[in-house]
């Protein structure tokens, strides 16, 4: 009896196409994770050759998340977190940071990527007994559906931290991206917070590297200016130090080098 040959790397039985680079897997690779495939590593290495700053950006994006979530849980008393476009789980995910401070915290992750959703079960297994961690299968282009589903899990009578962590560059039109943020923030109560960052066109060569990545067939990503990112916070009160390179938002050390991702944290009056 002969054994069936295993499926090719790009033809997995779960339907995931591993032969085409995937932004979540490439980001995972740059951050030192293991949830990536040969096509992702090849595209990631090509990108890094053209723009070495992408790896520090990837690592600093996680450190920004950790600092922002810790501040909101420990200092602002937030117990509800809505992380939209979460990507692949890695070290110190939103629920882990928040529930270390307040075990009763409730976290909703939102994504509609099959790859991300296959990791949801593992992610949900390490929540605290007192807290709630759940996943919503939804597209961030449909904020009304996200809010409707999140209402089943989060307490909308209390302030909520809404998070868009490096994902709105996948929306080609800036005004549409702003509209998505505004619609979600309109649904959450006074005292809620927006945590948002995106990659920026602040260093020569980043755009060229991004275009080369887009040409691989991956989902395109638009680099925006810090001023455009700040406009996503219209109507909110920005926490100090405002919109800055994410490595310099309340950094752990005074010598944090700037990276080409800008963001901040804003409070809904």
């Amino acid at each position: 009896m002969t054994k069936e040959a295993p499926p090719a790397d790009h033809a997995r039985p779960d339907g995931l196409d591993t032969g085409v680079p995937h932004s979540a897997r490439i980001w995972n690779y740059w951050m030192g994770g293991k949830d990536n495939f040969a096509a992702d590593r090849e595209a990631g290495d090509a990108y890094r050759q053209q723009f070495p700053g992408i790896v520090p950006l990837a690592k600093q994006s996680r450190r920004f998340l950790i600092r922002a979530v810790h501040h909101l849980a420990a200092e602002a008393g937030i117990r509800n977190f809505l992380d939209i476009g979460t990507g692949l789980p890695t070290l110190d995910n939103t629920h882990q940071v928040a529930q270390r401070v307040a075990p009763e915290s409730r976290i909703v992750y939102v994504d509609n990527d099959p790859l991300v959703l296959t990791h949801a079960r593992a992610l949900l297994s390490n929540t605290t007994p007192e807290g709630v961690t759940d996943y919503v299968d939804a597209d961030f282009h449909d904020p009304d559906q996200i809010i409707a589903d999140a209402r089943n899990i989060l307490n909308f009578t209390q302030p909520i931290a809404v998070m868009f962590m490096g994902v709105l560059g996948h929306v080609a039109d800036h005004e549409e991206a702003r509209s998505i943020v505004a619609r979600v923030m309109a649904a959450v109560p006074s005292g809620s917070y927006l945590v948002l960052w995106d990659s920026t066109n602040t260093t020569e060569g980043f755009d060229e590297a991004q275009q080369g990545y887009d040409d691989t067939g991956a989902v395109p990503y638009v680099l925006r200016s810090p001023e455009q990112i700040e406009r996503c916070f219209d109507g909110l009160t920005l926490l100090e130090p405002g919109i800055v390179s994410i490595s310099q938002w309340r950094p752990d050390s005074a010598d944090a080098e700037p990276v080409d991702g800008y963001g901040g944290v804003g409070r809904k009056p």
Side-chain angles (χ1 to χ4, degrees):
M1 180 177 178
T2 58
K3 290 185 178 179
E4 237 179 76
D9 192 37
H10 62 278
R12 288 160 51 99
D14 55 16
L16 298 178
D17 186 354
T18 62
V20 175
H22 187 287
S23 61
R25 295 195 302 251
I26 294 172
W27 206 253
N28 176 271
Y29 172 53
W30 286 330
M31 292 178 67
K34 298 179 180 179
D35 294 309
N36 47 76
F37 297 95
D40 310 307
R41 296 187 287 273
E42 182 178 344
D45 288 341
Y47 200 124
R48 179 169 51 185
Q49 276 194 329
Q50 193 165 2
F51 182 66
I54 193 63
V55 174
L57 172 57
K59 293 179 177 178
Q60 287 292 342
S61 71
R62 180 55 44 147
R63 293 171 188 166
F64 171 61
L65 180 150
I66 293 168
R67 295 194 303 273
V69 171
H70 184 272
H71 171 80
L72 293 177
E75 306 298 330
I78 299 298
R79 298 294 180 263
N80 294 273
F81 293 81
L82 180 58
D83 189 338
I84 300 174
T86 179
L88 285 173
T90 183
L91 177 68
D92 278 338
N93 302 286
T94 298
H95 74 285
Q96 293 165 317
V97 178
Q99 291 175 351
R100 275 201 299 268
V101 175
E104 71 276 18
S105 297
R106 307 174 74 88
I107 291 85
V108 169
Y109 292 106
V110 179
D111 215 301
N112 72 330
D113 189 306
L115 174 73
V116 173
L117 295 173
T118 61
H119 287 75
R121 191 171 301 167
L123 184 69
L124 301 181
S125 66
N126 55 11
T127 191
T128 59
E130 306 95 325
V132 174
T133 306
D134 210 341
Y135 239 102
V136 167
D137 182 358
D139 188 334
F140 67 69
H141 290 84
D142 189 358
D144 296 333
Q145 183 62 53
I146 289 171
I147 292 297
D149 289 342
R151 285 187 185 278
N152 296 324
I153 305 158
L154 301 180
N155 185 348
F156 272 69
T157 68
Q158 297 178 353
I160 294 169
V162 175
M163 303 170 60
F164 289 92
M165 307 300 279
V167 298
L168 289 175
H170 290 302
V171 182
D173 182 75
H174 177 55
E175 292 308 312
E176 181 184 356
R178 289 184 61 216
S179 173
I180 290 169
V181 173
R183 287 162 67 186
V184 176
M185 294 307 296
V188 296
S190 175
S192 293
Y193 288 83
L194 172 65
V195 186
L196 181 150
W197 78 270
D198 261 305
S199 298
T200 50
N201 55 5
T202 43
T203 293
E204 187 176 353
F206 200 173
D207 274 314
E208 289 83 353
Q210 184 60 46
Q211 185 58 56
Y213 169 78
D214 294 345
D215 291 344
T216 67
V219 178
Y221 189 98
V222 179
L223 303 180
R224 296 199 163 98
S225 68
E227 292 76 21
Q228 286 177 309
I229 291 172
E230 185 166 6
R231 292 194 63 198
C232 292
F233 290 84
D234 285 354
L236 306 179
T237 302
L238 280 167
L239 274 59
E240 291 294 335
I243 302 302
V244 293
S245 171
I246 53 175
S247 61
Q248 299 184 319
W249 192 90
R250 305 190 179 192
D252 298 324
S253 62
D255 59 350
E257 292 291 328
V259 293
D260 294 292
Y262 277 61
V265 179
R267 184 180 185 274
K268 180 176 179 177

